[in-house]
Amino acid sequence: MSTYSVSDASAAAGQAAADVSPGWLEKLRSGGYGVGLAAAVPWLAFGASCLYWEDLGDWSRTHGLAIAAFGIAALALLGTIGADFLGSAGVALRRRAPWLVALGSFLTVWEVATAKFGWLPLPFFPPPQAILEVYTDDMPKLFDSVIASVKLQLGGYIIGAAIGFLTGVSIGWSQKVGYWVHPILRFIGPLPATAWLPFAFFTFPSSWSASTFLIALATGFPVTVLTWSGVASVPNAYYDVARTLGAKPSFLVLKVAIPAALPHVFVGLFMGLGASFAVLVVAEMIGVKAGLGWYLQWAQGWAAYANMYAALIVMSLLCSGAITLLFKTRDRLLVWQKGVVKW
Amino acid sequence: MVAAALHEAIAYPAVGAALDIEHVNHAFDIDGVVLPVLEDVSLAIEPGEFVALLGPSGCGKSTLLRLVAGLEKPRSGVLREDDIRITGPHPSRVVVFQDPTLFPWRSVWDNVALGLEAQGILKSQRQRVDAAIDLVGLSAFRKAYPHQLSGGMAQRVALARALVNDPKVLILDEPLGKLDSLTRITMQAEIVSLWQRKGFTTLLVTHDAEEALFLANRVIVLSDRPARVKADIRVDRPYPRHRGDPYLADLRRQILGLLGLDATW
């Protein structure tokens, strides 16, 4: 009873019968289930189109896809009616119901336009069941590619971020370091990391170490510059306060300069993450014989476009996940900040 | 354990220090032009005195405070705390600035703990932080972050952050300058009562003659830049003082006259 909206309450007050009818029936009358029920419709349509309409081509996962679609439709239905009993999961489901409608509709249109009418040319635009087939049949190779990409990305990113952070703090703190490092940074930093590709691939012993270097480079530049600007923009008053309270130089760096610079550092880490994704994919396409970039290249070479889309979806989930993780970390560390960008 | 208990029992003799400022000159280089800010300033301040430095805006009174705090070194002349030459900052001389300058990433408690942490004695002295927060009446806000505080509360935290070190000299650089007038009146009374309880020497910079007379037992009037000591006025009135006191009103007229503002009175 506690989750009733005002309109539900007024609808209930208007009808004496509402008092005796069960909650779900009452809600059905007042239209409270509208979006949730609407969410089930496109998914049912999607499933039905898979099941009862002959495919133009020969795809083996059409029936499996239909079952999955019906499953989602059932979940939407159950979730809508049972939302009051599902607690926070029910609330979350209800909030996302409009997206379920949109996604179901999109998949139905995609299914019909590719597998049923062939409006979009094959093999460039495969139907959803072809992509599902990649996930079920080519999982081991895709999984290995994900592992390879994550390892490469993580190694390069952590090295680049650590070096960038230390360099940034040093330049921001010490004029002498700044004198020597700043010109180098200005000269080399703006160069896209991918421009180093030829150099990296013949200088480093393996394509893996070369790629790590390039990813670290792409990450390091924005992290360095923003950490530096963060440290340089710490108000002198903070140092004055700390010094009069008995702080030594190490305290000024670790407990004043670095925490004060952290919001800037996170902007650098975010920019570095974006730059490093680009380098990762290029490096994998050109030199490294593993990873999602390599998988994309390989899929294209065999005209296996379904594999390409499947890899793209995985890649976007990974990149988005990495950024979510970064923002979550930032929100934890910077709870003291107001009005930070939400992701 | 016994040593720690004994340590606590002694309770930090918070007796003010004497300050000697002898023939101090100071100047700034601004784009190669030397700008003198202090000219032969000499002052002898007794332990536990409450001295207000009053002067026109930009006359160099804050610079004098920075020299006393040890944040800058004078071009010439000597500053001493209890006959020991001041060569750098020391937690026995703590400054409360015009802006609270709390560290926004630290909670109220962590801000107040800053001095003890910097000196590496926080672990054994945590109760001093609690005591200082209680002293300024912010016990309920220990976990709050600076952006959640009002201007007056933030300045109270800054005061607690200074007092937790049991300073011998409390240096106040227009600490109430940016507060609204009601908060200001309350905090003036609080500062007096803290000073009376703790007995530290207080050096207050202000450009408000009324504030100086309400708080201090000695008012030093400085000239326009470069600052020289223009007058050294004893305010021989008991506390708590009354703003309407004719004696203080008379002194105020005198001081404003020294600052060249007598035409308005």
Side-chain angles (χ1 to χ4, degrees):
Chain A
M1 295 294 276
S2 59
T3 53
Y4 279 7
S5 68
V6 176
S7 62
D8 294 334
S10 60
Q15 294 171 301
D19 290 327
V20 288
S21 64
W24 62 269
L25 195 63
E26 181 189 320
K27 213 166 227 178
L28 191 62
R29 282 200 198 113
S30 64
Y33 290 138
V35 184
L37 296 178
V41 174
W43 287 94
L44 285 172
F46 178 38
S49 71
C50 287
L51 206 53
Y52 301 114
W53 193 341
E54 200 61 35
D55 280 348
L56 283 178
D58 182 23
W59 292 291
S60 59
R61 299 292 166 201
T62 312
H63 281 221
L65 192 61
I67 291 164
F70 288 140
I72 291 172
L75 275 181
L77 273 178
L78 285 177
T80 306
I81 294 170
D84 292 340
F85 308 102
L86 292 174
S88 60
V91 174
L93 186 71
R94 193 172 279 170
R95 206 173 51 218
R96 288 175 179 79
W99 264 106
L100 271 179
V101 178
L103 204 61
S105 311
F106 170 73
L107 285 169
T108 312
V109 171
W110 178 11
E111 174 70 25
V112 172
T114 52
K116 312 303 177 187
F117 287 120
W119 290 332
L120 295 169
L122 285 168
F124 304 105
F125 298 99
Q129 52 264 49
I131 290 170
L132 183 65
E133 196 177 326
V134 175
Y135 289 132
T136 54
D137 296 13
D138 205 22
M139 202 52 188
K141 201 198 262 169
L142 204 53
F143 186 73
D144 286 348
S145 300
V146 168
I147 296 292
S149 283
V150 169
K151 266 163 82 177
L152 187 57
Q153 165 71 24
L154 213 59
Y157 185 72
I158 289 173
I159 293 171
I163 293 176
F165 177 74
L166 293 176
T167 316
V169 171
S170 316
I171 309 175
W173 188 255
S174 153
Q175 287 194 342
K176 202 173 262 177
V177 177
Y179 175 82
W180 288 106
V181 180
H182 182 210
I184 301 174
L185 204 64
R186 272 182 75 157
F187 184 65
I188 290 175
L191 205 59
T194 41
W196 290 88
L197 229 118
F199 163 82
F201 276 107
F202 70 71
T203 318
F204 282 83
S206 64
S207 60
W208 188 82
S209 54
S211 308
T212 303
F213 164 74
L214 292 176
I215 292 167
L217 201 63
T219 309
F221 178 58
V223 174
T224 306
V225 172
L226 277 139
T227 305
W228 166 30
S229 94
V231 172
S233 64
V234 177
N236 272 326
Y238 286 178
Y239 297 129
D240 284 347
V241 165
R243 283 171 64 211
T244 57
L245 295 174
K248 290 166 191 64
S250 62
F251 189 91
L252 296 182
V253 177
L254 297 173
K255 299 287 181 125
V256 183
I258 289 176
L262 265 194
H264 282 80
V265 174
F266 271 98
V267 176
L269 287 171
F270 173 66
M271 289 168 62
L273 198 57
S276 66
F277 288 150
V279 177
L280 171 76
V281 175
V282 172
E284 285 179 341
M285 281 180 162
I286 291 177
V288 190
K289 293 278 170 280
L292 285 168
W294 167 83
Y295 189 96
L296 280 178
Q297 187 81 343
W298 167 86
Q300 201 224 344
W302 287 95
Y305 290 97
N307 295 59
M308 193 191 77
Y309 290 112
L312 271 178
I313 292 169
V314 172
M315 200 182 269
S316 99
L317 287 176
L318 283 177
C319 295
S320 160
I323 289 176
T324 304
L325 199 66
L326 183 70
F327 274 57
K328 286 254 189 274
T329 313
R330 181 201 61 174
D331 292 347
R332 267 196 96 93
L333 281 174
L334 305 185
V335 278
W336 51 272
Q337 260 198 321
K338 300 179 290 182
V340 288
V341 181
K342 292 282 171 221
W343 168 256
Chain B
M1 266 324 276
V2 178
L6 204 66
H7 205 50
E8 264 189 65
I10 295 168
Y12 310 101
V15 177
L19 283 174
D20 284 303
I21 301 167
E22 291 169 15
H23 306 292
V24 163
N25 288 283
H26 199 56
F28 290 129
D29 274 325
I30 294 170
D31 290 331
V33 182
V34 177
L35 187 73
V37 278
L38 296 175
E39 197 178 280
D40 195 32
V41 175
S42 292
L43 275 175
I45 297 169
E46 304 280 313
E49 249 185 335
F50 196 135
V51 178
L53 297 173
L54 195 68
S57 169
C59 76
K61 41 193 198 304
S62 291
T63 307
L64 186 56
L65 284 200
R66 290 179 68 81
L67 297 180
V68 174
L71 289 168
E72 280 174 51
K73 290 193 176 72
R75 292 266 169 124
S76 69
V78 181
L79 295 105
R80 286 196 188 86
E81 178 195 15
D82 277 344
D83 295 327
I84 299 162
R85 195 169 175 155
I86 295 171
T87 53
H90 191 275
S92 69
R93 284 169 272 120
V94 202
V95 190
V96 177
F97 295 94
Q98 183 171 14
D99 289 307
T101 41
L102 302 178
F103 291 179
W105 60 89
R106 282 171 171 251
S107 64
V108 165
W109 198 93
D110 288 332
N111 263 293
V112 174
L114 199 67
L116 302 183
E117 192 183 331
Q119 295 154 47
I121 52 172
L122 178 61
K123 271 203 181 122
S124 56
Q125 314 267 311
R126 299 178 68 87
Q127 75 285 351
R128 279 170 70 182
V129 178
D130 294 320
I133 294 173
D134 291 345
L135 200 63
V136 296
L138 287 176
S139 318
F141 291 89
R142 263 164 230 217
K143 286 184 181 150
Y145 281 98
H147 72 80
Q148 297 166 309
L149 304 177
S150 71
M153 282 154 81
Q155 201 54 280
R156 277 203 182 90
V157 176
L159 205 55
R161 180 177 63 186
L163 295 176
V164 76
N165 301 287
D166 280 326
K168 291 182 170 181
V169 180
L170 183 65
I171 302 169
L172 303 167
D173 190 358
E174 294 189 48
L176 310 179
K178 286 191 175 169
L179 301 179
D180 64 274
S181 54
L182 289 177
T183 314
R184 201 161 152 170
I185 288 169
T186 326
M187 285 195 67
Q188 283 172 348
E190 280 173 29
I191 287 174
V192 168
S193 96
L194 284 171
W195 164 70
Q196 286 182 313
R197 253 188 293 169
K198 295 279 181 177
F200 42 69
T201 309
T202 307
L203 208 53
L204 167 80
V205 152
T206 181
H207 51 231
D208 180 348
E210 195 181 336
E211 180 170 282
L213 290 168
F214 186 71
L215 297 175
N217 46 27
R218 199 171 151 199
V219 177
I220 311 289
V221 181
L222 296 171
S223 71
D224 217 340
R225 198 184 53 240
R228 277 166 285 108
V229 176
K230 222 172 180 180
D232 187 341
I233 298 164
R234 297 221 160 257
V235 188
D236 211 358
R237 290 308 250 195
Y239 298 91
R241 290 176 181 165
H242 297 284
R243 281 163 217 277
D245 188 335
Y247 176 81
L248 295 183
D250 191 46
L251 276 181
R252 183 173 177 217
R253 214 170 1 254
Q254 224 177 330
I255 288 169
L256 289 174
L258 284 165
L259 293 170
L261 294 167
D262 42 350
T264 55
W265 285 87

